[in-house]
Amino acid sequence: MKSTVRAMRPPAALLILLMAALLATSPAAARLDPRSLSTWADAELGEAVREGRVSAATMVVVQGGRPVLQRTYGYADASAGLPVGPPRERFIIASVTKTFTATAIALLVQDGRIKSLDDRANVYLKRVQLPGAFGQAITLRHLLTHSAGFEERGFAIGDRSDRTVPVSADYVRAHLPAIVRAPGSRIVYANIDPAILGLVVEDVTGLTMRDFIHRRILTPLGMKDTELVYDAAASARLVRPHFGPRAGAFDINTPFHAPTGSIHTTADDMGRFLLAQLGYFPDVLSPATVASLHRPLARNAPTLDPIGMAFFLSGWNGYKVVGHSGAFSGFGSDLYFVPEQDFGIFYSWAGGPAPGAGSPLEPGKLQASFLNLALGPYRAPPPLAVQPDPTHHVGRYWQERRPQTNFEAIVAANAVVEVARASANRLTINGDGPYYSFAPGSYTIARDGKPGPVYVFGANSLSQRAGAARRVSGLSDPRNQLMFGAAALGLLLTGLLGPLWMRGRAKLLALLIGVLAGGVPLLLFVIPPGLEQDIIAGRYARFLALKLNIVLLIGLAACLGWLTWRGDRRGMAQWHSALLGAAALALLVPFTFFNLL
């Protein structure tokens, strides 16, 4: 970082000097050792680059109002052998962007232009009005804490066909997901929430979100190499992720979704943002504003970590840890700080290993290794002296963070938490374990010196700090629906054998049925660029083809049955046509379940 804290008004500067003096003499605020930090960075990030697990990485640690370590590793473009640096020195911080969006809202509260976070969002929205649901209105608090009740969708978040700024009311209405749970009832991470907060900022100020962040956050903090990106032209300054020898392509969020994950920046600039969150820019973010950003606003259960204004709050050996992580388009990032210890860290990386060539970087492991260094080995909550019988928790739970009302639902078919019983009244969750109970209904696991996930069970549900899931069984279980659909398709594929005992038009119809059945998995999982890529880009042709495919399957099966049973022939042809007709009708069940029809 080129400079420390920018020039302040005399009273503010005096206040900061006093705070720094107090921190320096406080035994609770231990100074981080730059040599140990450097060793950590080389071992965790530098080694990951050398091993080919990432193609580039950058990081900064701040404490006492200044950076104490900054490092960059790897290549801006590994194919060309170019190290990270101008003109390619920026990283996508993905969902860490949400902390900028929350900071923008906090600034409007600081300005008095937003009266209360418990106000209805519609008070401040001018382009559109959010619908009410379950007898409740959506508030700013709900949007800041991912508890507005929207389903999670990904369709068209990277659509490059419409880059109009600011986005129109018609565009917003066309891209608003359904509200599937009561506002304020549960925290379930949803990218649409900060997107709507971006509309709030724009409608209140008359500025685009990009311009407001530039004027009120980036320029005052001296973040000269940071940008909220609206179009692909900005990718010219991005480090290019590589996966083994292959360079990855860039995805760019639409302007509507930019407040959820479209900040491009450098570690130098993010050091300044960290200092602002630690209170070192009081003329930009007042002490009251900083405190409001990191104050708990909601939680899913008493034993689960809370969320503040988009910042996730957790604990490490009695210290409060505030932060957010993100991943998008070949980049991963993590930002967190410990206010009581007056330090913060940001790191980001690009790329990953070639398929099957190693393990990618994991934010949780990186965070654990750093906090072990800074705050000592993690002390997990002790188990209950008597572990309760967990039998009634065993089952399968479908995550609520997923598309629920449109054709994207198929991509979340595997978003299931599988809970099984282990020995000594413990549990395994998704095959990992054993999880132990540390409070009634609450289970966790601790290993490798880091906190494990926490699950809190209800009657037919489970909760996590930013998610919830409902128990499923029978045909409400997506796995069973997939198996049912696969069986139906397998029977329809036998239409290819129809010519062995069918004649005339029946033989042709059976062949067509078999071909169309084989086309279903090809359309869903094989034909490039892929199902998820089409969803992100907003391409609907694949799903239209699927609908036409099923309609044709059912129509052809009906015609085949009519031809076969109408004729005088009996035997294998007749029974095979009946089986194909029944399989075609059965295919309606999973396709309707996943909203593909």
Side-chain angles (χ1 to χ4, degrees):
M1 190 175 294
K2 285 84 176 177
S3 62
T4 312
V5 180
R6 72 183 182 91
M8 303 177 186
R9 295 186 297 270
L14 184 61
L15 176 62
I16 293 304
L17 288 172
L18 179 60
M19 289 173 58
L22 290 172
L23 287 170
T25 58
S26 169
R31 297 292 101 184
L32 298 175
D33 176 25
R35 288 175 298 180
S36 298
L37 295 176
S38 182
T39 300
W40 175 87
D42 289 344
E44 295 289 353
L45 298 175
E47 192 64 27
V49 171
R50 287 189 291 273
E51 292 174 352
R53 296 168 58 206
V54 296
S55 55
T58 190
M59 61 86 65
V60 63
V61 178
V62 300
Q63 189 176 42
R66 64 182 183 85
V68 294
L69 182 74
Q70 189 171 331
R71 290 283 188 273
T72 299
Y73 304 91
Y75 298 95
D77 189 337
S79 299
L82 297 176
V84 177
R88 288 191 176 273
E89 76 262 79
R90 291 181 177 178
F91 289 71
I92 298 176
I93 64 171
S95 287
V96 179
T97 300
K98 294 175 175 66
T99 64
F100 285 80
T101 301
T103 300
I105 293 291
L107 283 168
L108 293 181
V109 175
Q110 177 178 294
D111 295 345
R113 303 179 78 174
I114 288 177
K115 302 301 181 185
S116 170
L117 298 184
D118 291 314
D119 286 343
R120 292 178 296 110
N122 285 341
V123 171
Y124 303 100
L125 288 168
K126 297 176 183 176
R127 264 168 291 185
V128 296
Q129 292 286 280
L130 302 179
F134 300 88
Q136 296 186 52
I138 293 172
T139 68
L140 298 177
R141 179 191 294 262
H142 296 151
L143 294 169
L144 285 162
T145 58
H146 296 286
S147 57
F150 287 104
E151 65 178 320
E152 176 78 317
R153 286 188 188 174
F155 189 74
I157 64 170
D159 182 7
R160 300 193 182 190
S161 63
D162 187 351
R163 293 282 158 179
T164 305
V165 181
V167 295
S168 68
D170 288 341
Y171 184 94
V172 174
R173 291 190 194 99
H175 292 82
L176 270 184
I179 300 172
V180 294
R181 68 190 69 84
S185 60
R186 294 184 293 285
I187 300 169
V188 178
Y189 196 93
N191 281 299
I192 190 63
D193 292 359
I196 296 171
L197 288 172
L199 300 180
V200 170
V201 172
E202 293 181 342
D203 288 351
V204 169
T205 65
L207 300 171
T208 66
M209 187 67 174
R210 176 180 178 173
D211 286 346
F212 183 82
I213 286 178
H214 182 77
R215 292 186 189 185
R216 294 297 304 277
I217 301 175
L218 304 182
T219 297
L221 297 182
M223 299 175 66
K224 298 178 181 179
D225 292 315
T226 301
E227 181 181 2
L228 181 69
V229 170
Y230 285 156
D231 58 58
S235 63
R237 295 194 62 184
L238 277 176
V239 167
R240 183 172 295 280
H242 278 66
F243 299 86
R246 180 180 60 85
F250 296 115
D251 289 315
I252 303 294
N253 285 321
T254 66
F256 179 35
H257 294 94
T260 74
S262 294
I263 291 279
H264 295 190
T265 188
T266 64
D268 184 82
D269 274 8
M270 288 305 290
R272 297 174 183 273
F273 186 68
L274 278 167
L275 289 173
Q277 295 297 331
L278 286 167
Y280 283 97
F281 286 86
D283 51 342
V284 181
L285 297 176
S286 72
T289 298
V290 170
S292 69
L293 279 163
H294 314 149
R295 182 181 299 125
L297 294 181
R299 69 173 82 214
N300 272 343
T303 54
L304 289 168
D305 290 332
I307 184 173
M309 292 181 68
F311 285 94
F312 288 99
L313 314 178
S314 58
W316 190 283
N317 298 344
Y319 294 105
K320 182 170 79 170
V321 180
V322 184
H324 207 298
S325 61
F328 180 69
S329 194
F331 291 85
S333 293
D334 205 0
L335 171 143
Y336 51 96
F337 47 94
V338 181
E340 293 171 271
Q341 291 288 296
D342 188 38
F343 72 74
I345 182 171
F346 165 81
Y347 41 80
S348 186
W349 63 90
S359 59
L361 280 180
E362 296 180 27
K365 288 185 177 179
L366 277 174
Q367 186 177 118
S369 66
F370 181 81
L371 291 177
N372 265 289
L373 172 68
L375 301 177
Y378 176 71
R379 297 191 296 271
L384 293 174
V386 177
Q387 290 289 294
D389 184 354
T391 303
H392 51 293
H393 302 320
V394 171
R396 289 170 54 81
Y397 300 78
W398 202 6
Q399 294 276 14
E400 290 192 36
R401 189 195 174 192
R402 56 185 169 87
Q404 298 187 35
T405 65
N406 75 340
F407 48 82
E408 294 177 65
I410 187 71
V411 302
N414 293 322
V416 174
V417 179
E418 187 153 4
V419 180
R421 181 168 181 162
S423 61
N425 283 343
R426 265 65 169 180
L427 292 171
T428 60
I429 299 179
N430 289 335
D432 191 21
Y435 279 76
Y436 65 87
S437 177
F438 66 94
S442 302
Y443 288 77
T444 191
I445 186 173
R447 61 168 57 133
D448 301 326
K450 66 176 181 137
V454 176
Y455 295 87
V456 178
F457 290 88
N460 285 296
S461 65
L462 64 79
S463 298
Q464 295 176 269
R465 73 170 184 171
R470 294 288 180 183
R471 190 193 298 267
V472 290
S473 60
L475 288 180
S476 70
D477 188 331
R479 179 182 62 181
N480 294 339
Q481 288 284 353
L482 288 176
M483 293 173 62
F484 189 73
L489 284 172
L491 290 174
L492 289 166
L493 280 169
T494 66
L496 297 173
L497 302 176
L500 295 177
W501 39 76
M502 294 182 185
R503 299 290 181 270
R505 285 178 293 175
K507 176 170 65 175
L508 177 61
L509 289 174
L511 278 172
L512 286 174
I513 288 170
V515 170
L516 288 171
V520 171
L522 288 176
L523 283 167
L524 277 173
F525 307 117
V526 178
I527 295 177
L531 185 65
E532 293 194 25
Q533 287 78 7
D534 275 355
I535 288 173
I536 290 172
R539 292 186 287 261
Y540 188 69
R542 182 187 303 264
F543 299 99
L544 180 60
L546 277 169
K547 289 186 178 186
L548 292 174
N549 199 327
I550 296 302
V551 170
L552 284 172
L553 268 174
I554 294 171
L556 292 176
C559 289
L560 177 62
W562 181 77
L563 280 174
T564 307
W565 287 87
R566 176 175 171 270
D568 295 330
R569 294 181 296 275
R570 295 291 184 267
M572 189 64 176
Q574 186 182 53
W575 290 109
H576 190 203
S577 67
L579 183 66
L580 293 176
L585 290 174
L587 202 59
L588 284 172
V589 176
F591 266 65
T592 302
F593 180 83
F594 291 115
N595 306 309
L596 290 168
L597 284 178

